[in-house]
Amino acid sequence: MNTLLTKVLLLQNTRALLCAASSLQSQVLTTQMPLGVLLTNRQYRSMPTHGIGKYRHLLPKALPKKKKDRVQAKQIKAATATEFGVFNVCVSGYDMTLVEHYSQYIHNLCNHLDIKVDESCALPTKSTEVMVMQEQGTKMYVDAVLKTHERIVQISEMKATLFPIFMEVVLKNQPEGVRLCVKQHTEADYQARFKTRPELEGLLAKIHN
Amino acid sequence: MAAPFTRVYRPLWRIITTTTLNKGVRNVSSTRQQWSAQNVKTAGVASPWALHGAVCLQRLPVVSQDRSPIEDEFMELMHQMELERSLLSDHELRLLEDAARMSRKQEEESDEEEEDYRDKDIFTAQDLEDIWEQKLKQYQPAQRSQGVDEKGVSSSERCLAESLILLVKKDVGSQKLWLLPQIQWQTGETLRQTAERALASLPVGADLKATFLGNAPCGFYKYKYPKDIQKEGSVGAKVFFFKALLSGHKHLPLEKNSFAWVKKDELQDFLKPEYLKQVRRFIMAL
């Protein structure tokens, strides 16, 4: 604090001196005194180094973090004469590694051929219980549980001339044990992926009744 | 004559499904939804080229290809690595528990009786495993090759791991040539319908059901008639190829001298060089 006071006094002294000596045009004006001690370290705008060290303007604009919106239903584009609309390539089977690798293969193929892939998702696994009838008796007991896995690659705006080539490549590389199905995408398909809400449906039923 | 233009084709919607493997041929079925062919517009100028539509009928591979030695070794290595890194499954844990329990029971006879009464199963894990092994032995997988002579080209069940193309022997001018089935285009139909007709017009022994994948041709070949046949109005012919996939069963072997199912690398034994050059461009060998 003392040093600051002394510096202030010194400054005032020099200022006084400057004012006094300005008329005399003395060399005090060119003093080496660090006038910038109290003043901030700003460069003058005409100095070439003005703004040196600034970086905030180079960073990407960080948008304010918004809460996750509810997933909106996308508009399903219709087919035109030269392009398909939105269609789903469904891969299903019992062996999950095969099914997943095949769906990844299809997705990579689309990326490579510049085909737009809207979504690449999985449908819930369906379990099938294989029940075997006992030989002496009427009771059935569970023999095996088979799980059917399903993956969907949703493609939109594919050119009609490219489609036969794409289908041929996909069919020729289909592994054994995997079933392939190419279907048009409908609203019903989209809604089927959501979970049912029994309370909501109960309340709606009550309102209507 | 130029080919007619249908302005709005049937909207290209199909549901294409492949069902599980049936003997010999994969079932590729497609159900078409709507069809509207409007505005068939023909140009009035006659051109000296005759138009033909041809079909490239392919039988898709039925089984996957055999692995090369390197792929085999790699697969073994990956299996081993995955096995070593994996955790034990429920069944394996049960096996270990049972084994531990048995060994404890043998060492100390009296103490374990309560435990036994509490979780006594009808089958131990080891018994289950034995039952499963028995069932596996009873299972007979299908043959990878149907036992058909690999060199004879008349059966569609040869070389199940690769895709085959149908060739027919046809009289062209004075010679008999091996070609893809083709037929002349008639006014008022699209080229694709010509190709379908070409397929249907094959002799009756071939009951071939095929799925055409698109309306666009996949290849093109033009040839000039020999000088003595060339007249004012006809210089030669242009052939447009359409791809189709074999979808129905076909067990009957066709006549040897008029039909052949060949792989891509065997094509050069059958087709003329110029023709072969154009055809090769659109045939994918897997």
Side-chain angles (χ1 to χ4, degrees), chain B residues 90-99 121-132:
Chain B
D90 286 342
H91 175 73
E92 285 171 327
L93 285 174
R94 263 186 77 191
L95 271 177
L96 289 176
E97 274 176 20
D98 286 348
D121 299 321
I122 306 174
F123 295 108
T124 60
Q126 188 63 44
D127 292 338
L128 278 174
E129 212 174 295
D130 291 335
I131 294 174
W132 293 337

Side-chain angles (χ1 to χ4, degrees), chain A residues 53-64:
Chain A
K54 272 196 199 169
Y55 67 91
R56 284 287 289 277
H57 63 286
L58 296 170
L59 294 175
K61 295 265 184 295
L63 299 161

Side-chain angles (χ1 to χ4, degrees), chain A residues 79-87 132 141 143 160-161 163-165 167-169 171-174 176 178-185, chain B residues 7-9 12-19 21 26 28 33 58 60-64 135 144 163 213-214 216 243 245 282 284-286:
Chain A
T80 67
T82 49
E83 279 189 0
F84 282 93
V86 184
F87 63 91
V132 174
Y141 65 92
D143 194 23
T161 45
F163 182 75
I165 305 171
M167 272 320 296
E168 203 188 329
V169 173
L171 280 169
K172 281 192 174 173
N173 285 296
Q174 186 181 357
E176 301 123 318
V178 160
R179 192 171 32 160
L180 177 74
C181 181
V182 178
K183 292 189 293 206
Q184 196 174 355
H185 181 67
Chain B
R7 279 290 144 167
V8 176
Y9 289 108
L12 312 143
W13 280 119
R14 287 93 170 289
I15 298 177
I16 299 178
T17 52
T18 61
T19 54
L21 157 12
R26 200 189 312 181
V28 176
Q33 286 189 326
Q58 289 184 316
L60 293 171
V62 173
V63 293
S64 51
K135 279 200 193 155
R144 270 182 78 91
S163 51
L213 282 177
K243 268 199 182 160
L245 302 173
F282 58 80
M284 289 192 254
L286 218 110

